Amino acid sequence: MLKLELKEVVVSVKGGTVVRHADLRVAEGEVLYIIGPNGSGKTSLLRAVLGYPGYEVVSGRVLFDGEDLTDKPMEYRVKRGLAITHQIPPKISGVKVGDLLAEILRRRGSTSEFKGITEMLRIEHLLNRDLNRNFSGGELKRVEIALTMAQSPKLALIDEPDSGVDVESLRFVARGVKEILNRSPFKSIVIVTHTGLIAKYIPPTKVCVMKEGVLKECRLPDFLKRALSEGFG
Amino acid sequence: MVNEVLDAARGEALKALDRAAPYGPDIDVREYLGLRVREPAKLEIGRVEGVGIDLRRARRTAMYMQVDDRVVESLSRLSGVEVTTVEDFIGNYPDIARELLWRLIKPGQDKYTAIAALKGVGGYYVRVKRGVKVSEPIQTCLFMASEGLQAPHNLVILEEGAEATIVTGCTIMPEVFGLHAGITEFYVMEGAKLSYVMIHAWNRGTHVRPRSAALLEDRASMVMYYMNLSRVKTLQTYPKVILKGNGSKVYASSIVLGRGGSVVDVGTEAVMVGDAASELVSRFVVKDRSRAWARARVSGVRGRGHIECKGLILSSKAALYSVPELGGTGRDVMLTHEASIGRIAEEEIAYLVSKGFSREEAEELIVRGFMNVEVRGLTGRMESYVKNVVRLMSRAAM
């Protein structure tokens, strides 16, 4: 059964087209990778799916779990069970990592998960720090994954979990992404990557290439290795 | 003898009744000179608790409560701590009173000190004796229950090596308009540590002009928190901390919220005479049609000083001005400042909405984070209390 479907989606940012054409189908139990070079429109597509302000779907439809979300605001889409882990999250002064994580869990009535999540992602030392301020690349990713895990979404859109992280951090990030996948009632996830490093831990079931704003036809998992070594063409 | 001191203060004050303060809107104080007959004052416990006063706890430790001009309670059950009215202090210790009252603040400084010298009644005297370390906060409350003037004269003395936290809550009944012009003089002696938390909750008809000054001796330290919880008609205050002693330190933090049509002008000044350290931090949030001035001044001949003023404007009709000032003499002083005024970044709101918060909740989280200054020098319960006040303020800002 299809859980996320993009039909001929075109995305515009500040009046300029950043995604020229995207067709995508994410079925139950699917680990879908979107790969492609920098600047190909992968992040813009994920943000448009979530309804991020400024990322406008100018034509096409976004269907999620049987519902057309194209004209719905981000707040609604998140409530319906979509979530994103950001590639470059903003720094927010005074908002402490621990407080934010606790608040997300409290709203879900799952405060008991706090310790487990912080230990799994090795972010105990960051709990009293301002969100994303002076974090290393690995710390940024681990906190993002922790917050998404706390949200426990039906479908997570994971943006570049393996860029700018060291090998050690990648292991924890991958463990977290796997946990998000396990918690998904659909057992589905969408991962954007241009390095493919995370595939070692979470193998894809389908690989789609995005290039120059066009999401091309999706292929079988073994395409990933070839694409990363020989190019995305 | 003391009467001579007070008479001299009144004489000086009479000449200053029309002397405008350098900052803040000018108010005619002469209307408060006339004799007022007040109804018996009533105390509303909820409002007192709203400014951080825990009466049950205070009655077991040390407290001072004044409603309008009437002293309701003044007691200390703590060994080595005296809490009385300033009038009793003058009676008990005339020599000390003559030496310390009106020494740091001059009665003729401006029309507000003048009206306080001429018409002020009451005020607390808190003395923590040499070496006494008090873990429970000493709580004081100045409550305006009826229209008119409230101008107590407070005096705080921490003797050598003493340590204490004083919480002062100032509030008013909602329908009562008036002028609050409290005078507070702090003497923090060698090696003493004072934490002073002041919470204000006024109403839209009140003018507020507190005048405070502190003198810090060698290795004395003072931590000050100022927070205002509700709107006010006009508020202007610029406490001055004189760091006379070597090794003395001050950390002052003001968290100010401008709402409605409030005009707010709040600052802290540190004057470093000795080889001292000063850190003045402020967070201003303005909304509606409010206008605010965030001031800070550090000057000295020796030591290190730093000012951090940050402001957030939440509405198109609100205005905020940040005025940090540094002044050094000679080669042995190092002073720095950082100041910023901005609005809530849409990127931050969108990010938090992507994490499951509504836009309003996201804004509140960001404002709370913005107001969330480092809490120093306070013990567990007081630290939680300050954080809780910040939470209330960020909610009120929305």
Side-chain angles (χ1 to χ4, degrees):
Chain A
M1 188 184 168
L2 284 182
K3 291 304 171 189
L4 177 68
E5 188 177 9
L6 308 186
K7 289 183 174 175
E8 299 182 353
V9 165
V10 177
V11 178
S12 156
V13 175
K14 290 180 184 166
T17 303
V18 290
V19 175
R20 292 191 287 134
H21 184 96
D23 276 312
L24 187 74
R25 291 161 166 224
V26 182
E28 198 162 338
E30 199 143 56
V31 177
L32 187 137
Y33 273 47
I34 300 174
I35 60 171
N38 287 332
S40 59
K42 304 185 297 296
T43 295
S44 297
L45 182 64
L46 289 197
R47 290 189 157 204
V49 169
L50 198 77
Y52 225 76
Y55 294 79
E56 193 188 354
V57 175
V58 288
S59 69
R61 310 309 297 170
V62 176
L63 308 173
F64 174 65
D65 201 15
E67 186 180 358
D68 188 341
L69 296 182
T70 316
D71 301 318
K72 302 288 187 190
M74 176 161 64
E75 198 175 326
Y76 181 85
R77 299 183 199 204
V78 173
K79 276 208 178 90
R80 295 287 297 142
L82 273 173
I84 192 168
T85 66
H86 297 262
Q87 183 185 359
I88 307 169
K91 305 173 180 75
I92 308 184
S93 294
V95 173
K96 306 294 177 193
V97 171
D99 292 346
L100 188 60
L101 183 65
E103 185 60 23
I104 292 171
L105 287 169
R106 190 190 62 75
R107 298 153 67 89
R108 270 190 46 239
S110 305
T111 48
S112 59
E113 292 177 19
F114 187 88
K115 194 165 182 282
I117 291 176
T118 55
E119 283 176 2
M120 179 185 285
L121 273 308
R122 295 282 201 277
I123 58 167
E124 299 99 321
H125 65 294
L126 301 172
L127 297 178
N128 284 323
R129 296 260 302 270
D130 284 4
L131 188 67
N132 303 327
R133 194 163 287 285
N134 301 321
F135 286 9
S136 69
E139 288 171 337
L140 283 175
K141 301 290 179 191
R142 273 148 47 206
V143 167
E144 267 301 286
I145 296 292
L147 297 176
T148 306
M149 198 188 293
Q151 283 179 271
S152 207
K154 287 181 180 170
L155 180 69
L157 313 170
I158 314 281
D159 195 2
E160 301 277 10
D162 46 6
S163 66
V165 290
D166 56 48
V167 180
E168 181 77 353
S169 273
L170 183 59
R171 268 195 318 124
F172 298 121
V173 167
R175 197 186 292 172
V177 174
K178 213 180 265 182
E179 179 63 22
I180 292 169
L181 174 61
N182 288 340
R183 288 171 176 219
S184 159
F186 309 154
K187 304 296 174 208
S188 309
I189 202 161
V190 175
I191 298 174
V192 158
T193 177
H194 73 274
T195 66
L197 295 170
I198 192 133
K200 180 181 160 193
Y201 303 94
I202 306 160
T205 60
K206 194 156 78 178
V207 177
C208 310
V209 176
M210 190 153 192
K211 207 173 165 188
E212 293 172 354
V214 177
L215 188 64
K216 287 187 166 183
E217 192 186 345
C218 299
R219 314 223 187 153
L220 292 173
D222 57 1
F223 174 69
L224 179 68
K225 205 171 176 184
R226 189 152 56 89
L228 293 172
S229 58
E230 296 173 16
F232 299 109
Chain B
M1 286 293 262
V2 175
N3 281 341
E4 282 172 26
V5 173
L6 295 181
D7 285 346
R10 288 182 190 121
E12 204 181 315
L14 270 175
K15 290 181 252 169
L17 271 173
D18 297 310
R19 189 171 293 155
Y23 308 116
D26 191 34
I27 308 297
D28 181 7
V29 299
R30 286 188 179 271
E31 63 182 279
Y32 298 100
L33 276 175
L35 186 67
R36 298 174 316 285
V37 179
R38 286 178 159 179
E39 297 293 314
K42 55 187 182 296
L43 183 66
E44 197 176 284
I45 300 297
R47 294 190 73 81
V48 171
E49 288 173 345
V51 286
I53 303 303
D54 180 345
L55 280 173
R56 269 192 10 198
R57 210 179 177 102
R59 284 184 180 125
R60 293 200 304 267
T61 52
M63 68 171 290
Y64 176 89
M65 163 85 68
Q66 179 171 335
V67 179
D68 296 330
D69 288 348
R70 188 166 65 91
V71 179
V72 178
E73 274 188 278
S74 166
L75 62 90
S76 172
R77 300 188 199 286
L78 302 172
S79 172
V81 177
E82 289 179 354
V83 179
T84 67
T85 66
V86 84
E87 286 84 358
D88 284 349
F89 158 72
I90 293 170
N92 295 337
Y93 303 102
D95 291 339
I96 302 175
R98 196 179 59 233
E99 190 187 336
L100 300 185
L101 283 176
W102 292 114
R103 178 175 155 200
L104 303 179
I105 299 166
K106 297 298 170 202
Q109 180 181 307
D110 59 34
K111 56 173 70 176
Y112 309 106
T113 56
I115 192 81
L118 290 167
K119 301 300 289 182
V121 176
Y124 53 81
Y125 155 74
V126 174
R127 174 187 174 199
V128 184
K129 292 184 180 169
R130 179 193 294 252
V132 172
K133 294 178 171 55
V134 188
S135 56
E136 280 289 323
I138 298 161
Q139 303 188 54
T140 66
C141 182
L142 303 165
F143 187 91
M144 286 179 75
S146 51
E147 265 182 49
L149 172 73
Q150 188 183 50
H153 193 141
N154 309 307
L155 182 70
V156 175
I157 303 167
L158 260 69
E159 293 183 351
E160 292 83 351
E163 292 180 15
T165 297
I166 298 176
V167 181
T168 292
C170 300
T171 189
I172 191 166
M173 292 294 281
E175 68 279 12
V176 168
F177 295 167
L179 169 65
H180 175 89
I183 306 290
T184 308
E185 295 178 277
F186 300 92
Y187 294 90
V188 189
M189 296 181 177
E190 191 176 331
K193 290 182 183 170
L194 173 64
S195 297
Y196 184 71
V197 180
M198 179 178 254
I199 315 281
H200 275 178
W202 302 107
N203 65 27
R204 63 192 168 81
T206 325
H207 298 288
V208 182
R209 297 290 185 280
R211 297 290 180 258
S212 308
L215 183 70
L216 274 55
E217 304 281 1
D218 284 350
R219 296 185 312 286
S221 70
M222 186 169 182
V223 173
M224 303 165 77
Y225 287 92
Y226 173 77
M227 288 166 277
N228 75 325
L229 271 167
S230 55
R231 64 185 63 184
V232 64
K233 191 170 179 69
T234 69
L235 160 65
Q236 189 271 316
T237 186
Y238 207 165
K240 183 184 207 172
V241 180
I242 302 159
L243 296 110
K244 183 183 165 202
N246 288 328
S248 56
K249 288 188 282 192
V250 63
Y251 171 78
S253 171
S254 305
I255 308 170
V256 176
L257 175 61
R259 293 163 70 194
S262 304
V263 179
V264 178
D265 191 320
V266 173
T268 309
E269 177 177 12
V271 179
M272 300 192 296
V273 180
D275 189 357
S278 309
E279 192 173 350
L280 312 180
V281 174
S282 68
R283 297 287 184 274
F284 277 63
V285 177
V286 292
K287 62 180 291 199
D288 305 327
R289 292 161 291 107
S290 63
R291 285 177 293 143
W293 283 259
R295 297 187 196 277
R297 184 186 296 143
V298 181
S299 61
V301 291
R302 282 182 290 170
R304 288 173 292 111
H306 181 67
I307 293 171
E308 182 189 294
C309 304
K310 291 186 178 173
L312 207 52
I313 301 179
L314 299 185
S315 96
S316 56
K317 290 185 178 161
L320 175 59
Y321 306 90
S322 182
V323 194
E325 289 179 62
L326 303 174
T329 308
R331 296 172 53 181
D332 298 326
V333 65
M334 191 167 84
L335 307 174
T336 55
H337 81 76
E338 51 183 312
S340 66
I341 292 174
R343 60 183 177 137
I344 298 179
E346 283 298 323
E347 187 200 6
E348 295 178 7
I349 296 171
Y351 173 82
L352 290 171
V353 172
S354 81
K355 298 298 173 203
F357 297 92
S358 68
R359 185 180 173 89
E360 292 70 30
E361 290 165 339
E363 287 181 352
E364 189 186 322
L365 274 173
I366 293 164
V367 170
R368 194 195 311 162
F370 174 81
M371 290 177 166
N372 210 356
V373 297
E374 187 187 348
V375 179
R376 290 187 201 168
L378 296 178
T379 51
R381 200 169 68 82
M382 282 313 299
E383 183 179 356
S384 310
Y385 175 70
V386 167
K387 286 185 173 172
N388 195 40
V389 171
V390 168
R391 183 180 291 266
L392 292 173
M393 288 177 75
S394 58
R395 219 165 268 166
M398 291 296 101

